Amino acid sequence: MSMDLSLSVNGELRRAPAGSSIADLVRGLELDPAKVAVEHNGAIAPRARLAEIALGDGDVLEIVHFVGGGEGVSAVTDNDSWTVAGRKFTSRLIVGTGKYKDFAQNAAAVEASGAEIVTVAVRRVNVSDPKAPMLTDFIDPKKITYLPNTAGCFTADDAIRTLRLAREAGGWDLVKLEVLGEARTLYPNMVETLRATEVLAKEGFLPMVYCTDDPIAAKQLEDVGAVAIMPLGAPIGSGLGIQNRVTIRLIVEGASVPVLVDAGVGTASDAAVAMELGCEGVLMNTAIAEAKDPILMARAMKLAVESGRAAYLAGRMATRKYADPSSPLAGLI
């Protein structure tokens, strides 16, 4: 008589009949194999082979999906698009999918923002409630580009592992990389960030990378394979706005890949400033999600990005030390 297998699934003890495959386990948990990714004993289990991979006693599995998380900008005209890693977008606003009261509000905010890209966190499936709503039920990844995000990762290895799972879950190679230094400031650990960027680029990923507002570090990231540089404007979730316009401008001037301000935006004027500095776009989450009216704020951010982009393209007037009359003084009565 065959014995049941003892398994660890997302940190919980589970049992499965001997001879079961990973696909059998996933279906037994009432999960849709098309909406999850599976790590089996530390290695990605290809979705196409889930039915072929037999489970063994003591196996350790992680089953993940996309949830709200992470930190949108509509173009001034239809012709004013931007490109990252060969992919064209008309919206210059990227929005996060965390902190909303529910997925429905999140979806409404994305629509109001005009965003074409949303960042998503990769988290364990709740195997105790497999029928719980998923982000993909509200924001269609066939219509909106999902940007898997390594929010919450504090080492290069954790970030790399997370994105390998993300690629298996959705097939995405365009990803948002962040490796944090510590929990209080959520500032990036640039040593680990550089290492993760290099590894991911060699594995065929296209990393858009959260980093310090340091022109030297930004260029180093580009040199090892970053397809976009994403310097912070201020600490994540702080709403303080862009604290160092000089270094953001220097990063923009020195980069040959898109530069997008990531983190710290608090209100529409902050988004406009980022665009006036020449950034290709802005990434934000808390500024919209924690507004008293997130839908209205999403609309405001859309307009602010458009306005800031238009001002950048127009070319601002020179600043002067003293007044300069708009009307000529000659010929006064």
Side-chain angles (χ1 to χ4, degrees):
M1 182 175 178
S2 60
M3 300 284 289
D4 281 353
L5 303 175
S6 178
L7 309 170
S8 171
V9 181
N10 289 1
E12 297 180 11
L13 182 63
R14 294 267 167 171
R15 305 197 74 80
S20 296
S21 68
I22 294 179
D24 295 330
L25 174 68
V26 171
R27 293 192 186 95
L29 292 169
E30 299 183 74
L31 295 169
D32 182 352
K35 291 184 177 181
V36 300
V38 181
E39 182 185 72
H40 180 223
N41 295 333
I44 300 297
R47 185 178 295 145
R49 296 188 55 241
L50 294 184
E52 304 169 18
I53 302 174
L55 293 170
D57 194 53
D59 281 358
V60 177
L61 298 101
E62 292 286 344
I63 306 176
V64 305
H65 64 149
F66 294 121
V67 301
E71 293 281 329
V73 186
S74 187
V76 178
T77 70
D78 290 340
N79 296 324
D80 184 41
S81 59
W82 68 288
T83 301
V84 57
R87 301 167 197 205
K88 182 186 287 188
F89 299 95
T90 55
S91 171
R92 294 175 180 272
L93 181 60
I94 301 175
V95 295
T97 50
K99 300 185 177 181
Y100 291 91
K101 71 176 184 179
D102 53 35
F103 288 143
Q105 184 187 66
N106 192 170
V110 171
E111 183 175 0
S113 74
E116 296 172 307
I117 306 174
V118 296
T119 56
V120 292
V122 181
R123 293 292 184 268
R124 285 174 165 174
V125 168
N126 182 356
V127 293
S128 299
D129 186 13
K131 296 303 182 184
M134 292 187 179
L135 184 67
T136 50
D137 298 327
F138 292 83
I139 300 176
D140 187 350
K142 293 184 176 67
K143 297 178 181 178
I144 301 291
T145 296
Y146 273 34
L147 191 64
N149 180 17
T150 60
C153 291
F154 289 85
T155 68
D157 290 341
D158 283 347
I160 293 164
R161 178 189 182 201
T162 296
L163 292 177
R164 286 171 178 161
L165 274 167
R167 182 158 62 180
E168 182 61 28
W172 292 282
D173 52 6
L174 184 65
V175 295
K176 161 76 186 303
L177 172 67
E178 59 183 66
V179 184
L180 304 174
E182 47 88 33
R184 187 173 64 89
T185 64
L186 299 182
Y187 259 56
N189 179 327
M190 290 309 300
V191 173
E192 291 289 279
T193 298
L194 278 162
R195 185 164 75 85
T197 301
E198 187 169 15
V199 170
L200 291 167
K202 288 178 178 177
E203 292 186 8
F205 286 93
L206 303 167
M208 300 173 67
V209 186
Y210 167 68
C211 61
T212 55
D213 54 345
D214 176 353
I216 305 303
K219 200 61 185 174
Q220 290 171 337
L221 286 171
E222 187 178 335
D223 290 343
V224 298
V227 299
I229 305 300
M230 307 183 77
L232 56 85
I236 291 172
S238 68
L240 291 170
I242 297 175
Q243 295 297 295
N244 198 333
R245 301 183 187 188
V246 173
T247 52
I248 298 293
R249 178 180 55 79
L250 289 173
I251 290 171
V252 170
E253 289 178 358
S256 56
V257 297
V259 176
L260 301 91
V261 163
D262 177 10
V265 169
T267 190
S269 57
D270 300 329
V273 167
M275 299 309 298
E276 289 171 3
L277 290 170
C279 293
E280 292 284 1
V282 184
L283 171 61
M284 66 183 70
N285 187 177
T286 309
I288 296 175
E290 290 192 356
K292 291 181 180 177
D293 186 337
I295 313 306
L296 185 58
M297 183 60 82
R299 172 66 176 165
M301 291 300 186
K302 176 181 184 291
L303 296 173
V305 171
E306 290 181 354
S307 178
R309 176 65 177 171
Y312 173 73
L313 294 175
R316 67 158 291 151
M317 62 167 284
T319 57
R320 302 181 178 93
K321 292 180 66 176
Y322 303 104
D324 183 30
S326 299
S327 301
L329 297 179
L332 283 175
I333 298 172

